[in-house]
Every structure is written in structure tokens, then in C-alpha cells.
Amino acid sequence: MYSDSCSFIRPLPASTALDVIGDVHGEWEALQQLLHFLGYDENGRHKHGRKLVFVGDLCDRGPDSPAVLDWVIQAVAAENAFTIIGNHELNLLIDDPKDGSGWYFDNRLQDETRFAPWQHYPKDKRRQLQETMAQWPLILQRDDLRIVHAAWLPESIDKLIHCGEKSLIKQYHYWENRFFDDFRQTEWYESYIQETQQLKTELEDENYTMPFQPGVAHYDLLRSCHNPIRALTSGIQALTQQPFYINGRWRFTVRKPWWQQYTDPVAVIIGHYWRSWYGTAGVAEHRKDLFPEPPTHWLGKQQQVFCVDFSIGARWRERKNAILPADSRMHLAALRWPENLIMLNSGKYCPAQRNR
């Protein structure tokens, strides 16, 4: 195990049964349903002493991010739950408004027509929220289990530990500045500048026929692995020759299934990747290669990685199309550990599978 002396890595209780909950994305009603089926009370207590673990991305897109965050904060304070930072919490901490964050950032007016109605976070409480979240770790661990939002990458973890900077935000900006300095020395820098200047509007225009842009592509590719905080919370990327549009901009890289190279004997639970409970049916082309395994299966050659994010972050689309929760194909899920049992917010449950 990595030393817990690093403020970004925290221990989990050694012998306690856990319920590891995937990305919530502001879906307060679904979280309440799941907690009920898992046997937790309104404060996050369990009669058998189980503890909750959240893999990050508590907020954005859904109708009530404030309720989700406030509940998790009190549950963590009461030592009934643990949580880590996902890429959506990171965006909030570094004041980087992204798709679906208009509940918090006032300048995301375009989100009001896309995601609203939703609850806004009170302005007078936002600083305290940031200060609280800035204390959350990036990694939780114990001898038999590791929790990280997107990717368990030893090289990135080592960079975090050896940097020495204790502030998450300061370390993030340190690595971003280093990346920008390094990228200026690459063969792709001039192309990147030219492409972003000439296609400033088109890069965010879904209706534009976008050809592959090598400068922007290599900028995103190299940035994904250079900053360790970004790598752990967003994963690493691979180039794609087929640009696709998602979350407000054209993309030239796809998420890389790092778990295929994971060989450690310790299980890792992640979120982030928008797994589908129904296999690849209806899944966007750029994500179909991520999960050739059935949705209930562990991932990778060693089958030691489980993604517990079952796309609840897309529930907002169903609401726009008047699809009722009972008919939803987007689920909030938990993996019960050490039982290795998947529980959905609908009450459905089944074992997580390993083909060995």
C-alpha cells in the first residue's frame, strides 16, 4: 500500500463491510432510493456497521447537486461515509465551468435550457463548499481494496507523492503549468495554436463537419497523462481518427482502458466511464470498445477492476424526453464489499462476475 502520509491518499477501515457507490451526478432521488435498498438511515448509518464509499462525481447535470453534496458532507463528518474527488469536483475546485455545472457557476447560462430545472447552490455557501471538498482525498485504500475515480496509475501516484505540495489546487496548477511549458517544446504546439485560433467557434459547433485536428488531439492526449491529478480523476486518452462531439466540444481522443494493463492482486473500484447496464446497445461509438465484458463483470486481464458507474449522469436526457424513472436505462449502483454484490437504485441486485 502507498503511505497514508500523503494527504491525497487516505485509509479505509480494515475490517468494515463497505458499499461503494458510483457517480451520483446530482441525482438525489436515485441516491435516496439506493441508500434505502442498501439499508442506510437518513444520516447514513447502517445497523450492521457498514460504511458508504463514494467514488466521486457527486455533482453536475442532475436536478439537485446541492442536496447530494450536503448529505454526503454530513455523512462524511459523522464518519458514516468516505468520498474521493472526481473530475467534476475538481472542475469546481479550480473554478473551471464545464457542461452541466450551471447549478454552481453563474456564467453557465446555456445549462439552464439543457439541464434545468435544478437546484442552485447558495452563493453565500460556495466558498465553504470548496474549502470542504479541497480536503477530500483522491485515493482511498486498504489491503484488499483501492478506490480511485478514473484510473489507478502508479506513475501518477508517485508524482503526487514526490511533488511535496500539500494543497490539491496548488499541485494541480503546478502540473498544469509544467505541462504548458513542456507542450510548447513539442512539434504539435504550432499546429495547436493555429487550429484553436482558426476553429475557435467550430470546435464547439456540433453541426460543423470536423476533420481530425492533430494539434488539438496531441494537446489533449499529452495533457491527460502529464498532470497526475487530471490522470487519476479523468483517466488517460488514446488518439482517434474519427472526431466526435460530446459535452460541448469536438474530441479527437478517446478514453483508454488502462485496466487491461493492471496486474496487481488488489481490487480497484472506479466510476467515471458511463458503463451501460444493457451492454453496448445504444452506447456511443467512441465508448463501445471500453467494455467488451458484460456489465456485471470485473474488467481487465486479471479481472481486478470494477466500474460502478452505470450512467446515471445521463438521466437528465430521459427527463427531457418524458421517460419515467421506472423506465430508465440509467442507474445508480453500488458494489457491496466484500460480498461482491451489485445493487441498483431500483432494488435489483446480482453478483459481480469474474470469469476464472
Side-chain angles (χ1 to χ4, degrees):
M1 292 209 314
Y2 286 92
S3 171
D4 296 330
S5 61
C6 174
S7 60
F8 308 124
I9 303 173
R10 305 271 176 81
L12 286 167
S15 58
T16 302
L18 305 171
D19 292 304
V20 185
I21 295 180
D23 304 27
V24 182
H25 282 299
E27 295 291 343
W28 173 231
E29 182 178 347
L31 177 58
Q32 289 177 296
Q33 292 168 344
L34 181 59
L35 292 171
H36 168 74
F37 287 118
L38 291 171
Y40 290 86
D41 69 14
E42 64 274 11
N43 296 311
R45 291 188 295 260
H46 196 283
K47 63 181 180 181
H48 297 307
R50 303 180 70 93
K51 300 294 182 181
L52 292 161
V53 179
F54 292 89
V55 302
D57 279 10
L58 299 168
C59 57
D60 291 353
R61 300 195 179 102
D64 207 343
S65 290
V68 172
L69 286 166
D70 287 347
W71 191 90
V72 171
I73 287 170
Q74 68 81 25
V76 170
E79 299 184 349
N80 295 322
F82 302 84
T83 190
I84 58 174
I85 289 173
N87 57 303
H88 284 259
E89 287 82 23
L90 179 62
N91 291 336
L92 187 152
L93 287 171
I94 61 175
D95 289 317
D96 186 12
K98 291 291 179 64
D99 191 59
S101 61
W103 63 276
Y104 184 89
F105 291 107
D106 297 329
N107 59 345
R108 286 290 306 184
L109 297 179
Q110 64 269 45
D111 285 352
E112 294 299 319
T113 56
R114 193 177 186 196
F115 298 100
W118 53 10
Q119 297 298 314
H120 291 262
Y121 209 82
K123 290 184 179 181
D124 61 343
K125 295 183 178 180
R126 293 179 188 179
R127 182 175 179 180
Q128 180 60 51
L129 175 63
Q130 283 190 319
E131 291 176 353
T132 298
M133 291 171 58
Q135 302 305 311
W136 292 351
L138 293 166
I139 290 170
L140 293 166
Q141 63 172 0
R142 68 186 197 188
D143 287 345
D144 66 333
L145 189 63
R146 295 165 170 171
I147 309 291
V148 66
H149 181 66
W152 185 270
L153 304 169
E155 181 178 349
S156 295
I157 298 171
D158 289 341
K159 289 168 74 172
L160 273 180
I161 294 172
H162 295 135
C163 175
E165 174 56 62
K166 301 298 184 183
S167 164
L168 176 76
I169 299 172
K170 288 182 179 179
Q171 183 162 164
Y172 176 87
H173 289 301
Y174 166 79
W175 290 110
E176 286 293 276
N177 291 334
R178 280 197 55 175
F179 165 72
F180 295 139
D181 289 342
D182 291 346
F183 188 70
R184 290 188 186 97
Q185 310 305 316
T186 70
E187 61 182 298
W188 306 108
Y189 178 69
E190 294 299 329
S191 297
Y192 169 76
I193 294 299
Q194 183 178 12
E195 292 163 11
T196 53
Q197 289 178 347
Q198 293 181 351
L199 299 171
K200 183 176 181 180
T201 302
E202 289 81 357
L203 284 167
E204 298 181 357
D205 182 359
E206 185 175 7
N207 298 313
Y208 184 76
T209 302
M210 180 63 68
F212 182 75
Q213 302 297 324
V216 176
H218 282 85
Y219 175 90
D220 289 341
L221 175 70
L222 297 173
R223 191 183 183 198
S224 75
C225 58
H226 194 287
N227 184 330
I229 298 174
R230 178 179 289 274
L232 296 174
T233 57
S234 292
I236 52 179
Q237 304 285 313
L239 293 177
T240 177
Q241 295 298 317
Q242 297 179 325
F244 60 95
Y245 187 91
I246 189 172
N247 295 338
R249 59 163 288 201
W250 283 95
R251 312 281 175 162
F252 310 96
T253 59
V254 292
R255 291 170 172 176
K256 186 175 181 179
W258 59 270
W259 46 83
Q260 297 297 347
Q261 283 72 50
Y262 182 77
T263 58
D264 288 5
V266 182
V268 180
I269 302 178
I270 58 173
H272 186 63
Y273 291 95
W274 290 54
R275 202 171 188 178
S276 171
W277 188 254
Y278 305 95
T280 58
V283 173
E285 286 297 323
H286 66 273
R287 290 197 290 115
K288 284 186 176 180
D289 292 339
L290 269 180
F291 300 118
E293 302 88 349
T296 59
H297 283 227
W298 286 75
L299 307 171
K301 293 179 180 178
Q302 303 298 321
Q303 297 191 321
Q304 283 289 74
V305 178
F306 193 86
C307 177
V308 72
D309 174 18
F310 284 97
S311 301
I312 195 71
R315 177 69 68 83
W316 67 272
R317 294 193 188 117
E318 295 181 327
R319 278 192 289 271
K320 292 294 183 183
N321 292 309
I323 297 174
L324 298 175
D327 300 320
S328 175
R329 294 174 64 86
M330 314 301 172
H331 302 290
L332 182 62
L335 184 69
R336 313 205 82 170
W337 188 264
E339 297 89 344
N340 196 34
L341 185 73
I342 306 166
M343 174 72 76
L344 301 184
N345 65 290
S346 64
K348 181 177 181 178
Y349 62 92
C350 66
Q353 302 290 331
R354 284 187 171 102
N355 291 333
R356 291 179 175 172

